[in-house]
Amino acid sequence: MTLKKPLLAVLFTAVATTLSGLAQADTLRLLTAPTGSIVHTTGSAIASVISQKTDYTMLAAPMSGPQIYVPQVDGGRAQFALLNAADAHEAFNGGVGYREAYRNLRLAAVGFTNELGVIVRRDSDIRTGADLKGRRVSGVFSAHKTCEQLASAQMANFGLEWDDVNVVPVTHSRTAVQALGEGRVEAAMCVPLGQAIVQEINAQTPIRFISMNNDDAAVARTRAAFPAGELAGYKAGDSVGLIDDAYVWSYPFYLAVNKDVPDDQVYAVVKAISENIVELRGISGVFNRWIPEGMVNANLNLPVHAGAKRFYEEKGLWNDNIEKADAALQEAAR
């Protein structure tokens, strides 16, 4: 089939705009973790709904990790990003994994909770965390330092240190899962339940989640290494790789936004997500863990964008405790 010149021109313009990253006023960029990650799957679903249900076009762009894309959002080269609450805290304050404090970040919405566990091959003789001692385990997570922190927390939960295992460096949770599929590691750390790459690898080489320990001492060790989140228990069969009942670590993800994005744009985005949550749940099961009534709360790590605040006030979700927490963060951002 031969394309007519006008259509060729349209296609060329669309591709050029996407590649250059120079968004027009009605085009929004949402930066996510790499393709195949649960974060990119979520971001792609949001971008689809925003593009269909609002006057804006949203493009979901995968990056190697939040240490790469947070500076882009902070600097105004993209409008939105999905990042976990711990990353948001570290980025805003210039903490672990970040070279400076990124004070232009704002909260658009508290999103889904992320559940992370440890996987091995299904036929592995590794049954518990203690069995990891002396084994080849994914670590370092050079493009995602929060994953390194989470993996360290998982090791602490098992009563182990990195010196107790043979560390195989990876860049991200996705590459950790790939390393397991390729046989380069015997256990992959910091692996989200439901991640697309987990399903892909499981189809080739069946995998199994091993349970984190749920005794008080183990939970205390985990929280000492990663203060955000809590243990979440799952039943066998609840997700790919859950062959047995297992505990994983659960913490929230944020939809973050640059402070200078116009209020009307941010308002439209959070409104569209809230009002189309059923459609989003039809696209991805992760939105079963994205609760519209919980899109803002007082446990804030970022100040709330004014456009988002307007929506939450209209919905009756804003309260004095949130106002107090937000005011303190707004003051810190000045």
Side-chain angles (χ1 to χ4, degrees):
M1 180 180 71
T2 301
L3 293 175
K4 295 181 180 180
K5 286 185 179 180
L7 180 54
L8 280 171
V10 171
L11 290 174
F12 177 81
T13 301
V15 172
T17 300
T18 301
L19 291 178
S20 67
L22 299 175
Q24 299 176 355
D26 59 351
T27 301
L28 307 172
R29 293 182 71 215
L30 168 59
L31 306 187
T32 76
T35 302
S37 69
I38 196 169
V39 181
H40 182 65
T41 299
T42 304
S44 297
I46 291 172
S48 175
V49 165
I50 297 305
S51 299
Q52 293 174 31
K53 305 292 185 179
T54 74
D55 294 332
Y56 307 105
T57 297
M58 180 174 276
L59 305 174
M63 300 283 166
S64 59
Q67 280 74 31
I68 304 300
Y69 60 74
V70 160
Q72 295 191 46
V73 175
D74 186 83
R77 296 187 295 279
Q79 290 85 3
F80 292 89
L82 281 169
L83 67 159
N84 69 63
D87 259 318
H89 172 80
E90 300 296 351
F92 186 72
N93 293 287
V96 176
Y98 295 91
R99 297 178 180 177
E100 60 184 271
Y102 293 100
R103 294 302 176 96
N104 293 330
L105 296 177
R106 296 293 183 270
L107 177 74
V110 177
F112 65 98
T113 55
N114 199 29
E115 277 76 24
L116 289 122
V118 178
I119 63 172
V120 298
R121 292 193 176 208
R122 191 173 301 180
D123 59 2
S124 172
D125 62 352
I126 298 173
R127 308 300 304 183
T128 70
D131 296 332
L132 293 177
K133 192 167 185 176
R135 302 301 188 98
R136 288 176 285 113
V137 174
S138 63
V140 181
F141 298 94
S142 57
H144 193 180
K145 286 303 178 183
T146 298
C147 223
E148 179 184 19
Q149 189 178 2
L150 279 160
S152 296
Q154 289 171 328
M155 292 286 288
N157 176 275
F158 296 142
L160 299 174
E161 298 181 356
W162 287 111
D163 288 344
D164 294 321
V165 299
N166 295 316
V167 179
V168 177
V170 296
T171 58
H172 194 271
S173 64
R174 187 177 192 277
T175 54
V177 178
Q178 290 174 326
L180 181 73
E182 294 164 0
R184 293 189 289 114
V185 301
E186 296 172 273
M189 314 293 288
C190 191
V191 178
L193 266 67
Q195 190 177 44
I197 189 64
V198 173
Q199 299 177 47
E200 179 184 326
I201 295 300
N202 182 71
Q204 302 167 8
T205 305
I207 59 95
R208 169 169 47 84
F209 278 88
I210 62 173
S211 182
M212 294 180 65
N213 297 321
N214 68 335
D215 60 277
D216 291 344
V219 172
R221 293 195 302 268
T222 312
R223 284 213 175 97
F226 192 84
E230 59 187 2
L231 277 179
Y234 279 84
K235 295 293 185 181
D238 280 350
S239 186
V240 172
L242 282 171
I243 309 305
D244 307 301
D245 295 354
Y247 284 98
V248 297
W249 197 252
S250 174
Y251 62 94
F253 257 75
Y254 284 172
L255 178 62
V257 62
N258 180 281
K259 69 179 181 63
D260 295 324
V261 176
D263 291 0
D264 287 349
Q265 292 184 353
V266 179
Y267 176 91
V269 167
V270 297
K271 183 175 188 288
I273 293 172
S274 176
E275 293 182 350
N276 293 281
I277 196 67
V278 173
E279 182 171 335
L280 285 163
R281 287 170 180 170
I283 299 173
S284 172
V286 73
F287 288 98
N288 291 321
R289 307 196 304 269
W290 188 306
I291 311 302
E293 296 78 14
M295 285 171 61
V296 69
N297 59 51
N299 298 319
L300 298 173
N301 285 342
L302 293 176
V304 180
H305 191 285
K309 179 180 179 180
R310 174 158 64 95
F311 175 74
Y312 298 133
E313 287 178 330
E314 288 180 4
K315 298 294 289 185
L317 300 176
W318 197 265
N319 58 45
D320 290 344
N321 289 334
I322 297 174
E323 178 67 33
K324 182 177 179 180
D326 181 55
L329 288 165
Q330 297 284 358
E331 179 63 30
R334 293 190 178 94

